[in-house]
Amino acid sequence: MLSTAQQLKAAQGYVLATLAEAGVTWDDADAQAFRARFDVGFPRLFRLFATLYGEHEDCLDHLAKLIGLSLASWQERPGDLKTLDRAREAEPQWFQSNKMLGAFCYVDRYAGDLNGLKDHVPYFKDLGITYLHLMPLFDCPEENSDGGYAVSSYRDVRSDLGTMEDLRALAKDLREAGISLVVDFVFNHTSNEHEWARKAAAGDPEYSDYYWIFEDRRMPDAYERTVREVFPDDHPGAFVQMEDGRWIWTTFHSFQWDLNYSNPAVFCAMAGEMLSLANQGVDLIRMDAVAFIWKRLGTTCESLPEAHLLLQAFNAVCRMAAPSLLFKSEAIVHPDEVVSYIDPEECPISYNPLLMALSWEALATRDVQLIDQAIARRQPIHPECAWVNYVRSHDDIGWTFADEDAAELGIIGFDHRRFLNAFYTNRFEGSFARGEPFQYNPKTGDCRVCGTTASLTGVEAGDAGGIDRMILLYGIAFSAGGIPLISLGDEVGQLNDHSYKDHPGQAGDQRWVGRPMRPDALYDQRTDPTTVPGQIFARMKQLIAARRAAPALAGNAIHSFDTQNRHVLGYVRTGDGPPVYVLANFADTPQALDAQRFLATAPRMTDLIAGEAFQMRTGLTLKPHQILWLG
């Protein structure tokens, strides 16, 4: 039996020989640059590929094909992107800066199409945005598309939004403005209208093997004994029946067909789609539904070890062919599983659903115990990685805290989620929120919550504390580490949009209530301080400016600060400058902190947001919903 080193040497020789037979030479500087990355990265990729696919007789052939398409993609990569590759390789932690600011929007709802979005680039730059996530914009079914997450082609932009050439032009404009482009890579599944799916539906054996398709219910029944229903309103179990009588795995909606990554041909095909996106000028890709990408009988088929190996293998491919491309994981699962995907060799950037959910939890309860516990226990991550901290997403708020964490504080997770759902959908007396339930189960009271930030914090209800609550939540997202993310329109207080009920493709999906069209009238008022949009915009700009001026807010280093007050959250940021103490009052009343809390701080500190100075040796009092960044 060959040793591991011998296997690696043999595999590398086989791949290089296969490339040589195809006419590949290493004569020019471009090819040599790839070869240098290949020599460094191939051992890692080989180990990953062999672990995943070593039992396949044609494993090395697939690996050689993968390297060939990676080389071809590198040779096709535009020169300006190769220049960016070199810059990012020289400064790999570029995304850790306190000047990073993310934003997201739907192209059609914000600007009509890609060309229309180009007109907003000066505004984005002026606001301070350095990272723009465009929600799904690739070809998808016209009606049922799960908001674009049922992709029919990864190489074609939706016709109503423009063309791939328009996307490349927008990416170039953004890059010149210092803004990185982020798009979704929906790689757990395709639409049932994708070319591969159509061929599979027609019985093509090659493409039938791209999906999890079975002739009868024997295997689907076996898998469904241990997997959960994600969207029970759409279909029971994990499988739906095809027109020809076969059964296909659909974790999410019936029109989203799960890809079979146990087939190495699927990995190679999707690597090609990913590299094609990278060559359009995409800087980061949101790796959608990472927890579901590998299946194994007798398990939940979520967050299996092979899911991590797949992500690492995709990452290894990018290090050769698009070295500046970064992965951002999207995993709305148990907090321990969320953290498991955050790794420099896997996904160096990740959404932070726990901080988001517990910020809203503290706003409803006026109690910071859960979020304080989470910051101490679950916020720290690898120093070369970064959270994306957000107040709300394009989807819904799910209460993703760990029940075992809650139990330590005497909180029953099931009951607490029912309270939060009732509170944020205005079914609890005294609620300021105006959200809508999504996937509501009347038997259990379980659901998730949808709505814009302004509608959920009380601005829509006319509550006097609504604006302060908005700034409190964004003040945490802006100061807790990593990259803060704004839902475009929030900076002027956009409200829920109930017109989705009039659209057949949206009427059954309450998430559209929080995806309004660009609120032009509110933007027109953003410089008028007598208006609600003007007040929100001015305070958001204040947060942005304060963050950019505070090097301590770079990176992710964070430490709890015990306020000895269940209403006031405290933590300390120690990035690249003098520490910043963050204090946030979630109560509806003023909260006093005694001088003992501040014996180890400087005697005099200034709020970096508003500029107010405080004498710390006498203690301080926070106003209702006030957040301070003291430095």
Side-chain angles (χ1 to χ4, degrees):
M1 179 179 291
L2 295 177
S3 67
T4 302
Q6 289 171 324
Q7 291 176 12
L8 171 61
K9 184 176 180 181
Q12 188 164 348
Y14 182 84
V15 168
L16 291 174
T18 302
L19 293 176
E21 289 177 8
V24 172
T25 63
W26 309 102
D27 298 334
D28 61 81
D30 213 37
Q32 290 169 9
F34 180 88
R35 177 61 188 270
R37 294 192 179 101
F38 169 84
D39 289 341
V40 171
F42 182 78
R44 174 177 164 230
L45 179 59
F46 169 71
R47 287 192 297 270
L48 293 165
F49 210 78
T51 303
L52 289 164
Y53 303 117
E55 295 182 0
H56 290 257
E57 292 183 359
D58 55 356
C59 174
L60 284 182
D61 291 327
H62 284 290
L63 184 56
K65 179 181 178 181
L66 178 63
I67 298 301
L69 72 86
S70 299
L71 172 59
S73 179
W74 169 254
Q75 291 173 328
E76 295 167 2
R77 192 161 170 79
D80 58 340
L81 297 183
K82 290 179 178 177
T83 299
L84 181 65
D85 290 332
R86 291 190 290 271
R88 296 275 165 84
E89 285 179 306
E91 190 183 357
Q93 295 299 297
W94 61 273
F95 57 88
Q96 300 281 17
S97 169
N98 58 298
K99 295 179 173 59
M100 286 294 293
L101 175 63
F104 72 90
C105 69
Y106 284 87
V107 173
D108 54 340
R109 304 184 79 76
Y110 196 85
D113 57 22
L114 290 167
N115 283 329
L117 196 64
K118 289 175 67 175
D119 296 336
H120 294 282
V121 172
Y123 168 74
F124 299 152
K125 183 176 181 180
D126 180 68
L127 188 61
I129 291 169
T130 61
Y131 156 125
L132 181 65
H133 181 182
L134 303 182
M135 303 312 296
L137 46 74
F138 298 105
D139 190 31
C140 61
E142 187 172 343
E143 289 295 334
N144 295 318
S145 70
D146 188 26
Y149 285 97
V151 178
S152 300
S153 172
Y154 298 89
R155 303 196 182 217
D156 294 295
V157 170
R158 265 173 41 199
S159 59
D160 61 310
L161 299 181
T163 65
M164 195 62 84
E165 184 178 57
D166 295 331
L167 181 62
R168 286 194 296 272
L170 173 63
K172 187 173 185 296
D173 282 5
L174 290 170
R175 192 158 54 251
E176 291 174 352
I179 302 172
S180 298
L181 174 62
V182 189
V183 301
D184 294 88
F185 187 49
V186 184
F187 74 126
N188 174 72
H189 49 263
T190 71
S191 155
N192 60 355
E193 295 184 4
H194 192 284
E195 179 186 7
W196 303 341
R198 291 181 186 276
K199 290 180 178 179
D204 185 319
E206 177 184 356
Y207 289 96
S208 291
D209 286 344
Y210 271 42
Y211 301 92
W212 292 89
I213 298 177
F214 299 98
E215 296 294 331
D216 54 40
R217 282 293 310 182
R218 185 175 62 87
M219 290 306 296
D221 286 344
Y223 277 108
E224 286 181 354
R225 291 189 187 104
T226 54
V227 301
R228 65 184 171 106
E229 294 180 341
V230 177
F231 287 153
D233 286 0
D234 184 81
H235 63 90
F239 290 81
V240 297
Q241 193 166 26
M242 301 168 65
E243 289 185 2
D244 62 6
R246 293 182 295 167
W247 294 84
I248 186 163
W249 198 316
T250 59
T251 294
F252 300 105
H253 292 93
S254 58
F255 48 82
Q256 292 167 304
W257 291 5
D258 284 40
L259 289 162
N260 179 8
Y261 278 102
S262 67
N263 178 358
V266 171
F267 182 92
C268 293
M270 289 302 286
E273 304 305 289
M274 177 182 66
L275 293 177
S276 175
L277 287 181
N279 281 358
Q280 309 312 311
V282 174
D283 296 274
L284 296 94
I285 51 176
R286 172 189 177 275
M287 304 295 279
D288 181 63
V290 294
F292 297 91
I293 56 178
W294 193 270
K295 329 290 189 190
R296 187 188 308 127
L297 188 64
T299 73
T300 61
C301 298
E302 294 183 34
S303 294
L304 296 176
E306 292 85 351
H308 295 279
L309 298 179
L310 280 173
L311 286 166
Q312 292 168 32
F314 277 125
N315 197 318
V317 169
C318 285
R319 302 289 68 77
M320 295 183 197
S324 62
L325 185 71
L326 291 180
F327 291 179
K328 175 175 65 171
S329 66
E330 184 263 351
I332 310 301
V333 288
H334 187 283
D336 290 339
E337 293 179 36
V338 173
V339 174
S340 71
Y341 293 98
I342 306 172
D343 186 273
E345 294 188 346
E346 197 163 326
C347 294
I349 298 173
S350 173
Y351 283 109
N352 193 350
L354 183 61
L355 187 74
M356 179 275 295
L358 293 184
S359 296
W360 288 104
E361 186 273 344
L363 206 61
T365 62
R366 285 75 163 175
D367 191 315
V368 303
Q369 287 186 101
L370 266 177
I371 190 172
D372 186 47
Q373 178 197 63
I375 287 174
R377 182 175 297 175
R378 302 187 185 278
Q379 186 76 357
I381 54 176
H382 192 289
E384 295 177 13
C385 299
W387 288 115
V388 171
N389 288 315
Y390 58 109
V391 170
R392 72 178 188 92
S393 73
H394 64 286
D395 275 338
D396 50 73
I397 300 172
W399 309 110
T400 57
F401 58 84
D403 283 6
E404 61 270 27
D405 290 355
E408 292 179 16
L409 301 172
I411 298 170
I412 300 172
F414 178 80
D415 293 342
H416 201 49
R417 289 185 179 90
R418 290 192 66 174
F419 157 69
L420 292 169
N421 287 330
F423 186 93
Y424 280 108
T425 56
N426 196 26
R427 292 181 288 119
F428 187 87
E429 186 177 354
S431 172
F432 49 74
R434 298 295 181 266
E436 287 207 5
F438 175 61
Q439 295 285 325
Y440 176 64
N441 185 332
K443 295 180 180 179
T444 65
D446 185 41
C447 69
R448 299 192 288 277
V449 174
C450 308
T452 67
T453 303
S455 291
L456 292 173
T457 53
V459 174
E460 178 178 326
D463 188 283
I467 295 176
D468 289 336
R469 292 189 193 97
M470 280 194 70
I471 299 306
L472 173 63
L473 293 183
Y474 269 108
I476 291 171
F478 274 48
S479 63
I483 304 169
L485 187 65
I486 296 173
S487 173
L488 283 172
D490 270 9
E491 76 274 24
V492 291
Q494 64 183 355
L495 301 179
N496 285 344
D497 179 6
H498 295 276
S499 68
Y500 78 93
K501 298 173 184 176
D502 300 327
H503 300 276
Q506 301 173 3
D509 187 343
Q510 293 84 2
R511 291 174 297 179
W512 286 103
V513 77
R515 303 167 179 172
M517 303 295 285
R518 183 181 189 273
D520 293 336
L522 302 185
Y523 275 104
D524 290 344
Q525 299 175 51
R526 71 182 186 273
T527 59
D528 183 349
T530 67
T531 65
V532 169
Q535 293 166 31
I536 294 173
F537 187 75
R539 294 183 67 181
M540 288 289 284
K541 289 278 284 185
Q542 198 176 39
L543 281 178
I544 294 168
R547 174 178 163 82
R548 292 178 68 88
L553 298 183
N556 295 278
I558 189 168
H559 310 280
S560 292
F561 180 79
D562 187 4
T563 66
Q564 294 282 297
N565 185 317
R566 290 178 59 168
H567 303 297
V568 181
L569 177 66
Y571 53 87
V572 187
R573 293 298 319 286
T574 55
D576 298 333
V580 171
Y581 291 77
V582 177
L583 300 172
N585 178 15
F586 281 84
D588 299 331
T589 55
Q591 295 296 310
L593 302 182
D594 65 62
Q596 294 290 329
R597 300 299 97 220
F598 305 105
L599 292 179
T601 71
R604 185 177 185 276
M605 303 181 80
T606 300
D607 175 26
L608 305 182
I609 301 172
E612 183 180 358
F614 294 88
Q615 298 298 330
M616 309 308 296
R617 297 296 180 262
T618 60
L620 61 81
T621 298
L622 287 89
K623 301 171 187 175
H625 313 122
Q626 184 178 22
I627 185 166
L628 301 174
W629 296 352
L630 297 174

mmCIF file of all heavy atoms in Angstrom, residues 112-139:
data_model
loop_
_atom_site.group_PDB
_atom_site.id
_atom_site.type_symbol
_atom_site.label_atom_id
_atom_site.label_comp_id
_atom_site.label_asym_id
_atom_site.label_seq_id
_atom_site.Cartn_x
_atom_site.Cartn_y
_atom_site.Cartn_z
ATOM 1 N N GLY A 112 -34.830 49.089 -9.749
ATOM 2 C CA GLY A 112 -35.406 48.664 -11.026
ATOM 3 C C GLY A 112 -34.586 47.586 -11.692
ATOM 4 O O GLY A 112 -35.067 46.488 -11.943
ATOM 5 N N ASP A 113 -33.322 47.927 -12.017
ATOM 6 C CA ASP A 113 -32.447 46.939 -12.651
ATOM 7 C C ASP A 113 -30.997 47.294 -12.335
ATOM 8 O O ASP A 113 -30.718 48.251 -11.598
ATOM 9 C CB ASP A 113 -32.695 46.860 -14.164
ATOM 10 C CG ASP A 113 -32.526 48.204 -14.877
ATOM 11 O OD1 ASP A 113 -31.835 49.106 -14.333
ATOM 12 O OD2 ASP A 113 -33.080 48.370 -15.987
ATOM 13 N N LEU A 114 -30.074 46.529 -12.902
ATOM 14 C CA LEU A 114 -28.656 46.726 -12.591
ATOM 15 C C LEU A 114 -28.152 48.080 -13.058
ATOM 16 O O LEU A 114 -27.352 48.731 -12.370
ATOM 17 C CB LEU A 114 -27.833 45.595 -13.210
ATOM 18 C CG LEU A 114 -28.025 44.223 -12.556
ATOM 19 C CD1 LEU A 114 -27.432 43.128 -13.443
ATOM 20 C CD2 LEU A 114 -27.397 44.182 -11.171
ATOM 21 N N ASN A 115 -28.597 48.514 -14.216
ATOM 22 C CA ASN A 115 -28.170 49.828 -14.701
ATOM 23 C C ASN A 115 -28.707 50.933 -13.799
ATOM 24 O O ASN A 115 -28.036 51.946 -13.556
ATOM 25 C CB ASN A 115 -28.645 50.029 -16.142
ATOM 26 C CG ASN A 115 -27.788 49.256 -17.135
ATOM 27 O OD1 ASN A 115 -26.593 49.063 -16.913
ATOM 28 N ND2 ASN A 115 -28.394 48.781 -18.210
ATOM 29 N N GLY A 116 -29.936 50.752 -13.301
ATOM 30 C CA GLY A 116 -30.492 51.732 -12.379
ATOM 31 C C GLY A 116 -29.727 51.769 -11.070
ATOM 32 O O GLY A 116 -29.559 52.833 -10.463
ATOM 33 N N LEU A 117 -29.223 50.615 -10.641
ATOM 34 C CA LEU A 117 -28.469 50.567 -9.387
ATOM 35 C C LEU A 117 -27.155 51.334 -9.514
ATOM 36 O O LEU A 117 -26.661 51.902 -8.533
ATOM 37 C CB LEU A 117 -28.210 49.119 -8.986
ATOM 38 C CG LEU A 117 -27.773 48.893 -7.537
ATOM 39 C CD1 LEU A 117 -28.866 49.305 -6.567
ATOM 40 C CD2 LEU A 117 -27.383 47.437 -7.315
ATOM 41 N N LYS A 118 -26.581 51.351 -10.726
ATOM 42 C CA LYS A 118 -25.332 52.090 -10.921
ATOM 43 C C LYS A 118 -25.501 53.564 -10.546
ATOM 44 O O LYS A 118 -24.558 54.199 -10.072
ATOM 45 C CB LYS A 118 -24.864 51.970 -12.383
ATOM 46 C CG LYS A 118 -24.348 50.593 -12.759
ATOM 47 C CD LYS A 118 -24.016 50.509 -14.238
ATOM 48 C CE LYS A 118 -22.830 51.380 -14.594
ATOM 49 N NZ LYS A 118 -22.422 51.221 -16.009
ATOM 50 N N ASP A 119 -26.705 54.106 -10.753
ATOM 51 C CA ASP A 119 -26.943 55.512 -10.430
ATOM 52 C C ASP A 119 -26.859 55.782 -8.931
ATOM 53 O O ASP A 119 -26.694 56.934 -8.513
ATOM 54 C CB ASP A 119 -28.324 55.937 -10.940
ATOM 55 C CG ASP A 119 -28.422 55.877 -12.467
ATOM 56 O OD1 ASP A 119 -27.372 55.956 -13.127
ATOM 57 O OD2 ASP A 119 -29.551 55.728 -12.975
ATOM 58 N N HIS A 120 -26.981 54.731 -8.112
ATOM 59 C CA HIS A 120 -26.963 54.907 -6.660
ATOM 60 C C HIS A 120 -25.573 54.713 -6.063
ATOM 61 O O HIS A 120 -25.394 54.912 -4.853
ATOM 62 C CB HIS A 120 -27.934 53.925 -6.001
ATOM 63 C CG HIS A 120 -29.374 54.174 -6.334
ATOM 64 N ND1 HIS A 120 -30.119 55.172 -5.738
ATOM 65 C CD2 HIS A 120 -30.214 53.572 -7.217
ATOM 66 C CE1 HIS A 120 -31.348 55.162 -6.219
ATOM 67 N NE2 HIS A 120 -31.429 54.205 -7.126
ATOM 68 N N VAL A 121 -24.605 54.328 -6.885
ATOM 69 C CA VAL A 121 -23.259 54.080 -6.358
ATOM 70 C C VAL A 121 -22.689 55.311 -5.638
ATOM 71 O O VAL A 121 -22.102 55.173 -4.554
ATOM 72 C CB VAL A 121 -22.319 53.581 -7.467
ATOM 73 C CG1 VAL A 121 -20.862 53.508 -6.969
ATOM 74 C CG2 VAL A 121 -22.763 52.206 -7.957
ATOM 75 N N PRO A 122 -22.847 56.534 -6.172
ATOM 76 C CA PRO A 122 -22.348 57.700 -5.418
ATOM 77 C C PRO A 122 -22.978 57.826 -4.034
ATOM 78 O O PRO A 122 -22.294 58.193 -3.070
ATOM 79 C CB PRO A 122 -22.718 58.881 -6.320
ATOM 80 C CG PRO A 122 -22.760 58.296 -7.701
ATOM 81 C CD PRO A 122 -23.334 56.922 -7.516
ATOM 82 N N TYR A 123 -24.268 57.516 -3.924
ATOM 83 C CA TYR A 123 -24.920 57.570 -2.607
ATOM 84 C C TYR A 123 -24.313 56.516 -1.680
ATOM 85 O O TYR A 123 -24.041 56.796 -0.507
ATOM 86 C CB TYR A 123 -26.424 57.343 -2.745
ATOM 87 C CG TYR A 123 -27.108 57.100 -1.413
ATOM 88 C CD1 TYR A 123 -27.314 58.135 -0.513
ATOM 89 C CD2 TYR A 123 -27.514 55.812 -1.056
ATOM 90 C CE1 TYR A 123 -27.915 57.900 0.717
ATOM 91 C CE2 TYR A 123 -28.114 55.567 0.176
ATOM 92 C CZ TYR A 123 -28.315 56.617 1.055
ATOM 93 O OH TYR A 123 -28.893 56.381 2.280
ATOM 94 N N PHE A 124 -24.121 55.305 -2.192
ATOM 95 C CA PHE A 124 -23.535 54.251 -1.367
ATOM 96 C C PHE A 124 -22.161 54.671 -0.849
ATOM 97 O O PHE A 124 -21.839 54.482 0.325
ATOM 98 C CB PHE A 124 -23.402 52.959 -2.165
ATOM 99 C CG PHE A 124 -24.695 52.387 -2.671
ATOM 100 C CD1 PHE A 124 -24.720 51.613 -3.829
ATOM 101 C CD2 PHE A 124 -25.888 52.618 -2.001
ATOM 102 C CE1 PHE A 124 -25.905 51.076 -4.304
ATOM 103 C CE2 PHE A 124 -27.093 52.086 -2.474
ATOM 104 C CZ PHE A 124 -27.099 51.313 -3.638
ATOM 105 N N LYS A 125 -21.366 55.253 -1.735
ATOM 106 C CA LYS A 125 -20.022 55.681 -1.336
ATOM 107 C C LYS A 125 -20.101 56.784 -0.294
ATOM 108 O O LYS A 125 -19.360 56.759 0.713
ATOM 109 C CB LYS A 125 -19.232 56.160 -2.560
ATOM 110 C CG LYS A 125 -17.797 56.547 -2.251
ATOM 111 C CD LYS A 125 -17.036 56.929 -3.512
ATOM 112 C CE LYS A 125 -15.592 57.292 -3.172
ATOM 113 N NZ LYS A 125 -14.833 57.666 -4.402
ATOM 114 N N ASP A 126 -21.000 57.728 -0.492
ATOM 115 C CA ASP A 126 -21.147 58.829 0.464
ATOM 116 C C ASP A 126 -21.616 58.320 1.823
ATOM 117 O O ASP A 126 -21.187 58.833 2.873
ATOM 118 C CB ASP A 126 -22.144 59.854 -0.078
ATOM 119 C CG ASP A 126 -22.348 61.021 0.878
ATOM 120 O OD1 ASP A 126 -21.389 61.800 1.060
ATOM 121 O OD2 ASP A 126 -23.454 61.145 1.449
ATOM 122 N N LEU A 127 -22.467 57.315 1.822
ATOM 123 C CA LEU A 127 -22.961 56.753 3.082
ATOM 124 C C LEU A 127 -21.844 56.030 3.833
ATOM 125 O O LEU A 127 -21.890 55.926 5.054
ATOM 126 C CB LEU A 127 -24.120 55.795 2.805
ATOM 127 C CG LEU A 127 -24.898 55.257 4.007
ATOM 128 C CD1 LEU A 127 -25.551 56.391 4.786
ATOM 129 C CD2 LEU A 127 -25.958 54.247 3.554
ATOM 130 N N GLY A 128 -20.845 55.548 3.095
ATOM 131 C CA GLY A 128 -19.737 54.841 3.719
ATOM 132 C C GLY A 128 -19.745 53.355 3.478
ATOM 133 O O GLY A 128 -18.973 52.602 4.089
ATOM 134 N N ILE A 129 -20.601 52.894 2.572
ATOM 135 C CA ILE A 129 -20.707 51.459 2.294
ATOM 136 C C ILE A 129 -19.443 50.962 1.588
ATOM 137 O O ILE A 129 -18.951 51.600 0.650
ATOM 138 C CB ILE A 129 -21.953 51.176 1.438
ATOM 139 C CG1 ILE A 129 -23.213 51.430 2.268
ATOM 140 C CG2 ILE A 129 -21.953 49.751 0.902
ATOM 141 C CD1 ILE A 129 -24.478 51.427 1.464
ATOM 142 N N THR A 130 -18.942 49.825 2.034
ATOM 143 C CA THR A 130 -17.765 49.216 1.408
ATOM 144 C C THR A 130 -18.039 47.779 0.972
ATOM 145 O O THR A 130 -17.145 47.099 0.476
ATOM 146 C CB THR A 130 -16.572 49.197 2.388
ATOM 147 O OG1 THR A 130 -16.912 48.408 3.535
ATOM 148 C CG2 THR A 130 -16.197 50.607 2.827
ATOM 149 N N TYR A 131 -19.285 47.343 1.148
ATOM 150 C CA TYR A 131 -19.651 45.946 0.915
ATOM 151 C C TYR A 131 -21.127 45.940 0.570
ATOM 152 O O TYR A 131 -21.950 46.337 1.398
ATOM 153 C CB TYR A 131 -19.324 45.195 2.197
ATOM 154 C CG TYR A 131 -20.022 43.896 2.538
ATOM 155 C CD1 TYR A 131 -19.276 42.756 2.799
ATOM 156 C CD2 TYR A 131 -21.406 43.810 2.703
ATOM 157 C CE1 TYR A 131 -19.887 41.571 3.193
ATOM 158 C CE2 TYR A 131 -22.020 42.636 3.084
ATOM 159 C CZ TYR A 131 -21.253 41.524 3.326
ATOM 160 O OH TYR A 131 -21.853 40.355 3.715
ATOM 161 N N LEU A 132 -21.480 45.580 -0.657
ATOM 162 C CA LEU A 132 -22.872 45.621 -1.097
ATOM 163 C C LEU A 132 -23.329 44.233 -1.510
ATOM 164 O O LEU A 132 -22.810 43.653 -2.459
ATOM 165 C CB LEU A 132 -23.042 46.595 -2.266
ATOM 166 C CG LEU A 132 -24.476 46.727 -2.795
ATOM 167 C CD1 LEU A 132 -25.392 47.331 -1.733
ATOM 168 C CD2 LEU A 132 -24.507 47.564 -4.067
ATOM 169 N N HIS A 133 -24.305 43.719 -0.786
ATOM 170 C CA HIS A 133 -24.861 42.400 -1.076
ATOM 171 C C HIS A 133 -26.140 42.585 -1.884
ATOM 172 O O HIS A 133 -27.113 43.178 -1.398
ATOM 173 C CB HIS A 133 -25.156 41.661 0.226
ATOM 174 C CG HIS A 133 -25.709 40.285 0.037
ATOM 175 N ND1 HIS A 133 -26.073 39.483 1.087
ATOM 176 C CD2 HIS A 133 -25.966 39.552 -1.079
ATOM 177 C CE1 HIS A 133 -26.523 38.328 0.640
ATOM 178 N NE2 HIS A 133 -26.475 38.359 -0.677
ATOM 179 N N LEU A 134 -26.109 42.080 -3.112
ATOM 180 C CA LEU A 134 -27.299 42.105 -3.953
ATOM 181 C C LEU A 134 -28.023 40.783 -3.775
ATOM 182 O O LEU A 134 -27.460 39.715 -4.014
ATOM 183 C CB LEU A 134 -26.918 42.316 -5.418
ATOM 184 C CG LEU A 134 -26.104 43.580 -5.709
ATOM 185 C CD1 LEU A 134 -25.840 43.698 -7.205
ATOM 186 C CD2 LEU A 134 -26.809 44.823 -5.186
ATOM 187 N N MET A 135 -29.275 40.851 -3.363
ATOM 188 C CA MET A 135 -30.050 39.648 -3.135
ATOM 189 C C MET A 135 -30.224 38.895 -4.452
ATOM 190 O O MET A 135 -29.955 39.445 -5.524
ATOM 191 C CB MET A 135 -31.395 40.008 -2.505
ATOM 192 C CG MET A 135 -31.272 40.783 -1.191
ATOM 193 S SD MET A 135 -30.090 40.052 -0.033
ATOM 194 C CE MET A 135 -30.888 38.494 0.293
ATOM 195 N N PRO A 136 -30.641 37.633 -4.422
ATOM 196 C CA PRO A 136 -30.615 36.770 -5.613
ATOM 197 C C PRO A 136 -31.057 37.472 -6.886
ATOM 198 O O PRO A 136 -32.145 38.041 -6.946
ATOM 199 C CB PRO A 136 -31.562 35.639 -5.230
ATOM 200 C CG PRO A 136 -31.398 35.519 -3.761
ATOM 201 C CD PRO A 136 -31.240 36.938 -3.276
ATOM 202 N N LEU A 137 -30.190 37.405 -7.885
ATOM 203 C CA LEU A 137 -30.467 38.131 -9.128
ATOM 204 C C LEU A 137 -30.290 37.270 -10.372
ATOM 205 O O LEU A 137 -30.340 37.784 -11.489
ATOM 206 C CB LEU A 137 -29.588 39.387 -9.209
ATOM 207 C CG LEU A 137 -28.098 39.276 -8.878
ATOM 208 C CD1 LEU A 137 -27.297 38.603 -9.958
ATOM 209 C CD2 LEU A 137 -27.544 40.658 -8.596
ATOM 210 N N PHE A 138 -30.106 35.956 -10.171
ATOM 211 C CA PHE A 138 -29.899 35.096 -11.321
ATOM 212 C C PHE A 138 -31.220 34.476 -11.779
ATOM 213 O O PHE A 138 -32.235 34.511 -11.080
ATOM 214 C CB PHE A 138 -28.843 34.034 -11.005
ATOM 215 C CG PHE A 138 -27.507 34.646 -10.697
ATOM 216 C CD1 PHE A 138 -27.027 34.701 -9.393
ATOM 217 C CD2 PHE A 138 -26.749 35.228 -11.704
ATOM 218 C CE1 PHE A 138 -25.810 35.299 -9.105
ATOM 219 C CE2 PHE A 138 -25.539 35.825 -11.432
ATOM 220 C CZ PHE A 138 -25.068 35.875 -10.134
ATOM 221 N N ASP A 139 -31.194 33.941 -12.975
ATOM 222 C CA ASP A 139 -32.391 33.406 -13.605
ATOM 223 C C ASP A 139 -33.097 32.421 -12.682
ATOM 224 O O ASP A 139 -32.465 31.551 -12.072
ATOM 225 C CB ASP A 139 -31.998 32.709 -14.913
ATOM 226 C CG ASP A 139 -33.200 32.335 -15.748
ATOM 227 O OD1 ASP A 139 -34.209 33.052 -15.687
ATOM 228 O OD2 ASP A 139 -33.131 31.307 -16.455
#
